[in-house]
Amino acid sequence: QLLMAASRIKDFIKLNKINPNEVNSSKKIFQHKIWTVKLSNQFEKKVAVTFDDLDEANRYFNVARFDPLFCPPKPREKGLNQGGYTTEYAQKRAPLISNNSSEKNFNIKRFQPSEKAINSINNLQNTSWKINAQVAKTVYDLLQERVNDFTKLLKIRYTHSGAVIDYIHPEGEFLQFDGGQLEEWMEILNLAGEFIDNDTSTLFWHAWVFDWRGRMYPCSNLLSPQGDDVSRGLLLFGQGLPLNDKGWKWMNRAVGRAYQGCSLKGSDFTKQEEDIWIEIQALLDTKSWQKIDLVFKDTEKRELMHKVVRSIRDDPTGTYYIWGAGDVFGKKREGFQRLNLTIEYANCLDEYNSGNKAPITSIPLVADASSNIYQHSSVLIGDSDMAKSVNVIPNDLAIPSD
């Protein structure tokens, strides 16, 4: 029925019925005719205009990857191939437990998720997401600028073996990302664009899986809340919550932590404001929640912080030197996450000042559990010095050690 419906689309496909016995070289005799499907000449021409060549089109449509969903995933169950993506084929490619070859090949169970664990992964699957369109535009503009700067540093020279392209940086620095990483960022932006309509994002969802250790991951690494700074910086929760007093406290703390180490030097701010910013940085450098709270309790410091976030929200590319310099397009970067938080925070401030004392926010605030091997080791061997160094027990300064 779908095939017949598709055949009625003008200039799309052609259907022909043939007798398989006329083209069959085996001894098998077929009792029924079969349909052949061929793209129309008009559609092939449209494809040729859209793509440089058909090889590029095949790469685009045949890429073996998982994308987020436009609808909530199916609930996960104890059956390995049940739930998650909506089609049976995708469910087999993304089973409940990934990298589970030992059970598949040797029937050795390394991990069996409990009912509570499956309920947890279903809660993650039911979490909707959307795109911050302003961050997406900023990522696109800055990435385009970065690529243009890169091409200016390429020099072609000719040798007896042919043409050679050299990358010559005036300060001797190497490129911070490769072609594969650049292609992934472009795919992320293309995918984000599919969810944005007139600067408003539609909702999407992730299907989630366990690995063989019990950790939970999205099936797609594009627009993933566990992805790099570009992916995380684009994401907002699909459903927001009103900010109460406790919410404002933690929003302020998140903004304070985000701007630790950022500089106003060389900006359009006054000398007095730069001096106040230095005082703010001294409090932020302590990594103490109580000291960060002082930034927002002091009128001068709070007003300057609000002025900074609003100026960044209103002109992200023009204020890049404040929020993103040296902290985007690389490993363990946080610039676009900082920008995402800044835009949401500034919008909430404006709503609050307009009379809405409980503005809706949907910003994800990332918290690191710090559950690393050194923490476990310090407990196992009873080493108090190691335990202090990795926050298992309080240290003498009563501040985080890492």
Side-chain angles (χ1 to χ4, degrees), residues 340-352:
N340 193 13
L341 172 62
T342 300
I343 293 170
E344 186 79 353
Y345 183 69
N347 289 340
C348 288
L349 285 176
D350 288 352
E351 279 200 49
Y352 186 89

Side-chain angles (χ1 to χ4, degrees), residues 12-151:
F12 180 34
I13 62 174
K14 290 181 178 180
L15 295 179
N16 289 302
K17 231 177 187 180
I18 65 169
N19 184 346
N21 296 312
E22 296 177 359
V23 295
N24 178 36
S25 59
S26 69
K27 295 181 180 180
K28 183 177 179 180
I29 303 298
F30 293 89
Q31 302 299 320
H32 305 284
K33 292 184 177 181
I34 62 174
W35 287 100
T36 61
V37 184
K38 182 182 179 183
L39 295 176
S40 69
N41 292 333
Q42 295 91 332
F43 187 75
E44 285 189 349
K45 289 178 181 178
K46 289 180 181 179
V47 172
V49 170
T50 305
F51 299 93
D52 293 336
D53 53 52
L54 289 181
D55 287 338
E56 183 184 351
N58 287 332
R59 183 199 67 77
Y60 180 83
F61 289 108
N62 294 333
V63 61
R65 77 181 194 203
F66 289 107
D67 284 349
L69 294 87
F70 281 94
C71 62
K74 288 188 174 181
R76 290 289 192 180
E77 302 175 14
K78 285 195 173 182
L80 292 181
N81 295 330
Q82 296 175 324
Y85 284 98
T86 57
T87 65
E88 184 178 343
Y89 174 71
Q91 288 170 359
K92 289 181 179 179
R93 287 183 58 214
L96 178 63
I97 305 174
S98 64
N99 301 323
N100 200 30
S101 57
S102 62
E103 180 173 349
K104 180 179 179 182
N105 297 329
F106 307 107
N107 199 28
I108 299 174
K109 288 184 180 290
R110 294 187 291 183
F111 168 64
Q112 181 64 45
S114 65
E115 183 177 347
K116 186 175 181 180
I118 293 176
N119 289 339
S120 296
I121 210 168
N122 282 330
N123 286 335
L124 288 171
Q125 292 197 148
N126 289 330
T127 301
S128 59
W129 302 90
K130 60 184 178 182
I131 301 298
N132 187 324
Q134 189 176 357
V135 175
K137 184 181 185 308
T138 305
V139 174
Y140 178 85
D141 291 343
L142 290 178
L143 186 59
Q144 186 177 47
E145 181 181 300
R146 191 67 60 92
V147 172
N148 289 340
D149 290 342
F150 165 72
T151 57

Side-chain angles (χ1 to χ4, degrees), residues 348-366:
C348 288
L349 285 176
D350 288 352
E351 279 200 49
Y352 186 89
N353 292 335
S354 297
N356 180 7
K357 301 306 180 183
I360 302 297
T361 181
S362 55
I363 187 72
L365 298 181
V366 178

